[in-house]
Amino acid sequence: MDKMKVTYEAMLGLAAEFVLDEAVLKFQTNQIYSAIDKALAAGDEDTFYRLAKQLNALKR
C-alpha cells in the first residue's frame, strides 16, 4: 500500500508541475503580447521584432 501512495503522490506532483508550467507560460505569453501591442503603437520596430522572437521561442 505504501508503494501505491508514493506513486500517487508522485503523479500529483507531476500534475501540479504541469499546471504551474502552463500558468507561467500563459502569463509570459500575455505579457509579451501586451509589450508587442505597446511597441506597435509606439512604432518601435526593433522592440517588436525582439518580442516577436521571444514569443516564437516560448511557443516551441
Side-chain angles (χ1 to χ4, degrees), residues 1 13 16 19 28-29 31-32 37-40 43 48 52 54 59:
M1 206 60 158
V19 169
Q28 289 175 334
T29 301
Q31 292 294 102
I32 292 173
D37 287 343
K38 289 177 185 175
L40 285 172
F48 168 78
Q54 284 180 7
K59 291 187 175 185

Side-chain angles (χ1 to χ4, degrees), residues 6-55:
V6 170
T7 303
Y8 179 71
E9 288 175 355
M11 294 300 289
L12 281 178
L14 287 173
E17 187 175 340
F18 179 74
V19 169
L20 182 60
D21 287 347
E22 286 295 313
V24 168
L25 178 63
K26 186 175 182 178
F27 175 79
Q28 289 175 334
T29 301
N30 288 340
Q31 292 294 102
I32 292 173
Y33 274 126
S34 178
I36 285 174
D37 287 343
K38 289 177 185 175
L40 285 172
D44 187 349
E45 189 175 325
D46 292 333
T47 300
F48 168 78
Y49 282 115
R50 181 180 53 80
L51 291 167
K53 190 174 182 179
Q54 284 180 7
L55 185 61

